[in-house]
């Protein structure tokens, strides 16, 4: 009974302390497509993602009921950095649902014009607001409607103290007339959040210090994950854990609770726990500390690279290639070292038995694309006279209409398919994962390369096969499976079956080398087909937007040389970044990875028909 009364009391107090309007709530996931279009149409950076912001600690005046309910100590604020635009996951600020939707649009428009970090949060937001209203007159009515409704929700300056009231008056005047206030008055308490403005991405500056805590999302980047995305956690800094702090007898309070600090040396311990994700979901706070002393006394083996006896054969000293840094808007020349490798222990191999039926069907279908010998009419020279052309010539000569050299012959020749295709396969460690606990991704790639080769060998098209993986910029591996002049057969099959997953995905470097190989082909149509299971990433800075921008620039370079890049992926989240890298019509997502071996040849036909 006491527990039931406590639950009801908590629900009552929480409801009384609310200042939002749940019935008018609008959610970011429902508006994300519209906001993305608005943001980019108004000039926003096309490489930025729009994602939900994590609640941040906000230190401001709270009512008695809010203190009792322990609410309103965290808020979702809008901010932008070099990789993402963060907007509140849910907006219920106004009692009108349409106003909440317009607030999302206004924040997107405001972010589209923000190019630099805030120097003065108060002044810069006014300047930014005035800029948007001057450039886009259609947003003026929306903003003034939002401003008037927002002012009605803010506290009355006369109900506050002298300093707090002066600060609140300045904020309200700045909202109604952007640009009129040049100084942010100091006060004892932080003001109520200004939801019409953007906030600093890195946490605090001179004006917001004391208001908001450092944001855990500010330095975070997405990583390859499963089908679900977990919400980011609040983080807190802890002092380094000292294991040698002296003798301590056991006490009951030394047992760790879910939310207490546990020392984990992430840099020295990369072991994977099966239930790590579920444990993290149960934690309210993730505590982070910098501690490198313990790692110095431990023995750490570098298991990323295999021993020389079991490694592939490295051909040459490596090829130096540039890399694009979008932050500095320039190339780093000779920044990456690409190592051509070939499977040293790969022997000859037959086609696996489970692929023989599909291979026979594909060879039969693709043989129809093979060039056939046929008569070519109306030629200047040939094996015999073209009677139709001769009759037309005689008729036109009798009318005096003959001009130029007559084409009176026909020849028997083959109509060639003038194209070359280079397949570049991702061999990173993520391909070692299982699909539905049945088959690994790397096994699907093996089968795809086998059937793709069987199909193309039936057409007589020129094709080459390469794979890639990486371990930082100085070790980008470029697996040579089949070059353009090599015949497809048992040796190539053996190399395909010998491919092993490992390392990471420095995609831009591999694409640049593939572009060099394909660009020397003399074919009229040159297709660069990229097979991957995730976004670009590596151990160093090559992650997040940096890797995406470098890969995008490598694709632009390939297109400038007349190549036709196309990406085939099995990543469920590819729609978030592949349109930016390849374009809307230059990629395809295979929903069922096990269908990839059969779908790949069909995609090739559509690309080259």
């Amino acid at each position: 009974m006491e527990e039931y009364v406590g639950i009801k009391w908590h629900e009552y107090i929480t409801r009384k302390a609310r200042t939002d309007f749940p019935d008018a709530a609008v959610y970011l996931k429902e508006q994300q497509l519209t906001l993305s279009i608005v943001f980019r149409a108004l000039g926003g950076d096309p490489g930025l993602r729009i994602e939900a912001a994590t609640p941040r600690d906000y230190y401001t005046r709270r009512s008695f009921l809010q203190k009792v309910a322990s609410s309103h100590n965290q808020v979702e604020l809008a901010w932008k950095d070099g990789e993402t635009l963060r907007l509140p996951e849910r907006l219920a600020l106004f009692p009108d649902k349409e106003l909440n939707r317009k607030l999302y649009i206004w924040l997107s428009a405001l972010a589209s014009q923000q190019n630099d970090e805030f120097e003065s949060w108060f002044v810069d937001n006014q300047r930014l607001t005035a800029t948007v209203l001057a450039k886009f007159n259609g947003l003026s009515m929306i903003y003034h409607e939002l401003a008037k409704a927002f002012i009605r929700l803010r506290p009355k300056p006369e109900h506050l103290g002298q300093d707090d009231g002066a600060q609140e008056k300045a904020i309200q005047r700045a909202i109604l007339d952007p640009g009129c206030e040049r100084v942010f008055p100091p006060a004892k308490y932080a003001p109520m959040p200004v939801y019409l403005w953007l906030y600093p991405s890195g946490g605090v500056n001179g004006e917001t210090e004391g208001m908001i805590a450092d944001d855990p999302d500010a330095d975070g980047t997405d990583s390859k994950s499963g089908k679900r995305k977990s919400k980011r956690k609040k983080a807190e800094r802890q002092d380094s854990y000292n294991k040698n702090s002296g003798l301590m007898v056991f006490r009951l309070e030394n047992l760790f609770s879910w939310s207490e600090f546990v020392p984990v040396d992430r840099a020295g311990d990369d072991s994977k726990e099966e239930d790590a994700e579920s444990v993290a979901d149960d934690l309210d706070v993730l505590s982070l500390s910098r501690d490198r002393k313990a790692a110095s006394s431990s023995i750490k083996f570098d298991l990323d690279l295999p021993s020389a006896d079991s490694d592939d054969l490295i051909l040459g000293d490596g090829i130096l290639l540039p890399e694009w840094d979008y932050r500095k808007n320039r190339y780093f020349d000779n920044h990456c070292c690409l190592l051509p490798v070939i499977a040293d222990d790969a022997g000859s191999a037959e086609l696996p038995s489970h692929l023989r039926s599909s291979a026979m069907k594909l060879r039969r279908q693709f043989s129809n694309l093979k060039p056939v010998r046929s008569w070519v009419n109306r030629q200047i020279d040939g094996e015999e006279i073209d009677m139709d052309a001769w009759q037309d010539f005689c008729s036109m000569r009798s009318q005096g209409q003959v001009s130029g050299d007559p084409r009176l012959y026909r020849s028997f020749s083959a109509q060639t398919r003038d194209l070359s295709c280079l397949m570049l396969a991702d061999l990173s460690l993520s391909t070692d994962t299982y699909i539905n606990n049945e088959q690994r991704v790397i096994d699907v790639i093996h089968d795809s390369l086998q059937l793709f080769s069987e199909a193309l060998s039936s057409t007589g098209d020129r094709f080459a096969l390469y794979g890639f993986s990486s371990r930082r910029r100085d070790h980008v591996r470029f697996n040579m499976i089949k070059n353009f002049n090599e015949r497809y057969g048992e040796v190539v099959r053996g190399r395909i079956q010998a491919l092993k997953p490992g390392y990471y995905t420095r995609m831009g470097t591999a694409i640049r080398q593939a572009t060099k190989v394909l660009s020397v082909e003399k074919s009229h149509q040159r297709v660069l087909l990229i097979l991957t299971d995730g976004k670009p990433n590596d151990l160093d800075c090559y992650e997040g937007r940096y890797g995406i921008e470098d890969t995008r620039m490598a694709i632009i370079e390939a297109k400038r040389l007349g190549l036709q890049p196309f990406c085939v992926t099995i990543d469920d989240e590819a729609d978030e970044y592949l349109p930016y890298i390849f374009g809307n019509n230059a990629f395809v997502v295979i929903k069922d990875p096990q269908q990839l071996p059969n779908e790949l040849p069909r995609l090739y036909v559509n690309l080259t028909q």
Side-chain angles (χ1 to χ4, degrees):
M1 184 64 182
E2 292 179 358
E3 183 178 357
Y4 175 79
V5 172
I7 292 174
K8 292 300 180 183
W9 170 254
H10 175 73
E11 291 176 353
Y12 173 77
I13 292 296
T14 303
R15 186 169 59 252
K16 283 292 185 180
R18 296 189 77 132
T19 57
D20 61 350
F21 302 92
D23 293 339
V26 177
Y27 294 87
L28 178 62
K29 62 182 180 180
E30 299 170 352
Q31 305 293 323
Q32 200 154 6
L33 179 59
T34 301
L35 300 180
S36 177
I37 294 173
V38 170
F39 177 73
R40 288 161 176 79
L42 298 184
D45 190 338
L48 260 64
R49 308 184 307 275
I50 298 179
E51 295 185 359
T54 300
R56 303 162 74 171
D57 289 338
Y58 194 92
Y59 310 120
T60 186
R61 185 193 299 269
R62 294 190 295 163
S63 68
F64 175 75
L65 283 179
Q66 291 169 354
K67 292 178 181 178
V68 172
S70 187
S71 62
H72 292 71
N73 51 8
Q74 286 190 329
V75 294
E76 292 182 3
L77 302 172
W79 55 272
K80 190 186 81 167
D81 61 10
E83 296 195 4
T84 55
L85 167 59
R86 299 278 179 174
L87 297 176
E89 187 176 28
R90 168 184 173 273
L91 278 181
L93 181 65
F94 301 108
D96 184 358
K97 192 170 187 177
E98 184 62 20
L99 274 180
N100 291 319
R101 188 186 69 82
K102 289 179 179 178
L103 180 55
Y104 267 133
I105 294 176
W106 169 252
L107 291 173
S108 300
L110 202 64
S112 71
Q113 303 303 306
Q114 183 194 2
N115 299 319
D116 303 310
E117 287 288 339
F118 290 132
E119 294 183 4
S120 169
W121 166 79
F122 181 69
V123 175
D124 288 347
N125 265 297
Q126 295 181 68
R127 174 188 51 78
L128 200 58
T129 301
T131 300
V132 173
L133 295 178
K135 291 181 66 174
F136 311 107
N137 294 330
L139 292 173
S140 179
M141 185 179 298
I142 291 178
Y143 174 75
H144 290 298
E145 183 181 4
L146 290 170
K148 291 176 182 178
F150 186 52
I151 292 298
R152 289 195 292 268
L153 299 176
R154 296 191 67 83
K156 303 294 183 183
E158 55 269 21
H159 295 166
L160 306 175
Q162 181 178 357
D163 292 341
D164 293 329
Q167 186 184 76
E168 182 61 30
K169 285 182 180 178
I171 291 176
Q172 293 190 17
R173 284 196 298 265
I175 292 173
L176 294 174
D177 185 14
C180 67
E181 295 289 329
R182 306 301 300 174
V183 179
F184 186 57
K188 180 179 180 181
Y189 293 98
M192 173 184 169
V194 184
Y195 292 104
L196 301 185
W197 289 352
L198 301 178
Y199 277 77
S201 61
V204 297
N205 63 14
E207 290 169 351
T208 57
E209 187 173 6
M211 297 184 198
I212 54 178
D214 288 345
D215 193 90
D217 287 348
D219 298 324
T221 54
D222 285 339
S223 59
K224 256 185 233 184
S225 61
K227 293 184 178 180
R228 59 180 290 271
K229 277 188 176 180
S230 59
K231 191 174 182 178
R232 295 186 183 275
K233 297 290 183 180
K234 175 188 173 186
E236 67 177 10
R237 291 288 183 188
Q238 291 282 354
D239 294 332
S240 298
Y241 174 70
N242 187 1
K243 296 187 292 184
N244 301 316
S245 57
L247 296 175
M248 180 179 291
V249 296
F250 174 77
R251 295 184 300 174
L252 184 62
E253 57 266 30
N254 289 340
L255 292 175
F256 288 119
S257 69
W258 277 113
S259 61
E260 291 186 18
F261 168 65
V262 180
V264 178
D265 185 2
R266 187 57 188 158
D269 181 10
D270 284 334
S271 59
K272 182 179 179 181
E273 299 180 20
E274 294 182 358
D275 59 343
E277 186 174 0
S278 61
V279 171
D281 286 340
D282 291 332
L283 293 172
D284 294 325
V285 177
L286 298 181
S287 299
L288 308 175
S289 69
R290 296 187 179 275
D291 185 4
R292 296 293 177 266
K293 295 181 180 179
S296 62
S297 60
S298 62
I299 299 177
K300 184 176 185 296
F301 293 98
D302 189 351
L303 301 179
D304 283 334
L305 298 178
S307 64
D309 295 337
S310 59
D311 197 6
D312 294 332
L313 179 63
I314 298 178
L315 306 176
D317 297 329
I319 302 171
L320 296 179
L321 294 169
E323 189 165 273
W324 174 258
D325 187 344
Y326 81 97
R327 297 166 299 192
K328 299 182 178 180
N329 198 35
R330 70 180 183 90
Y331 284 100
F332 289 126
D333 295 329
N334 300 329
H335 190 68
C336 300
C337 181
L338 182 135
L339 302 174
V341 299
I342 191 169
D344 192 24
D345 57 349
S348 300
E350 296 290 337
L351 189 68
S353 58
H354 67 280
L355 297 178
R356 290 175 184 171
S357 175
S358 299
M360 185 180 299
K361 184 184 300 183
L362 285 173
R363 283 195 296 266
R364 187 165 54 249
Q365 294 173 349
F366 275 67
S367 62
N368 295 328
L369 301 176
K370 189 173 183 178
V372 296
R373 291 176 60 82
S374 60
W375 286 105
V376 181
N377 298 324
R378 300 183 184 274
Q379 303 296 306
I380 296 177
D381 194 9
E383 286 83 359
E384 60 182 51
I385 296 176
D386 184 349
M387 297 305 298
D388 291 336
W390 172 254
Q391 290 178 3
D392 292 341
F393 172 74
C394 292
S395 175
M396 294 177 67
R397 186 176 60 179
S398 64
Q399 299 176 17
Q401 299 179 359
V402 176
S403 64
D405 296 331
R407 296 175 175 269
L408 304 178
Y409 299 90
R410 65 175 185 163
S411 60
F412 195 64
S413 62
Q415 304 298 313
T416 60
R417 282 169 56 87
D418 189 17
L419 61 89
S420 299
C421 177
L422 189 149
M423 165 73 81
L424 184 61
D426 178 2
L427 304 178
S428 61
L429 190 60
S430 60
T431 61
D432 198 30
T433 57
Y434 279 83
I435 304 169
N436 299 327
N437 295 322
E438 297 176 0
Q439 191 178 21
R440 295 185 306 165
V441 175
I442 188 64
D443 297 327
V444 173
I445 292 176
H446 287 162
D447 294 349
S448 301
L449 294 178
Q450 297 271 19
L451 292 183
F452 183 77
S453 302
E454 292 288 331
L456 266 65
S457 61
S458 301
T459 66
D461 293 347
R462 290 177 59 80
F463 72 99
L465 305 175
Y466 293 90
F468 74 97
S469 58
S470 66
R471 184 184 180 273
R472 297 189 176 92
R473 65 185 180 89
D474 58 347
H475 194 98
V476 183
R477 301 165 73 90
F478 197 69
N479 295 70
M480 304 180 69
I481 307 170
K482 177 192 177 300
N483 61 34
F484 280 108
N485 297 321
E486 191 173 5
R487 188 184 66 85
Y488 172 71
E490 295 178 350
V491 174
V492 176
R493 294 193 193 102
R495 292 176 191 163
I496 293 175
Q497 296 176 21
L499 294 175
K500 299 181 290 290
Y503 324 113
Y504 302 89
T505 317
R506 209 174 197 96
M507 194 178 294
T509 306
I511 290 175
R512 286 187 177 92
Q513 180 61 20
T515 298
K516 290 175 61 177
V517 173
L518 183 57
S519 62
V520 299
E521 287 290 301
K522 303 301 182 183
S523 303
H524 176 70
Q525 185 178 10
R526 293 169 294 181
V527 178
L528 176 57
L529 203 54
I530 301 161
L531 178 60
T532 182
D533 72 326
K535 66 175 63 173
N537 76 303
D538 207 336
L539 284 173
D540 48 20
C541 66
Y542 204 87
E543 59 182 358
R545 189 176 178 188
Y546 184 96
I548 289 176
E549 291 287 352
D550 178 60
T551 304
R552 178 174 180 265
M553 186 58 66
I555 293 299
I556 292 174
E557 296 164 15
K559 291 179 178 178
R560 287 172 181 168
L561 293 174
L563 309 187
Q564 182 182 350
F566 193 88
C567 182
V568 181
T569 183
I570 58 175
D571 183 11
D572 290 339
E573 301 172 6
D575 289 332
E576 298 179 3
Y577 58 90
L578 281 189
Y580 180 66
I581 296 176
F582 290 90
N584 291 326
N585 299 319
F587 74 94
V588 65
V589 180
I590 303 296
K591 297 299 184 182
D592 184 1
Q594 292 176 320
Q595 295 299 317
L596 179 61
N598 292 319
E599 291 294 331
L600 197 56
R602 297 191 183 99
L603 287 171
Y604 175 78
V605 173
N606 293 332
L607 282 174
T608 60
Q609 63 184 355

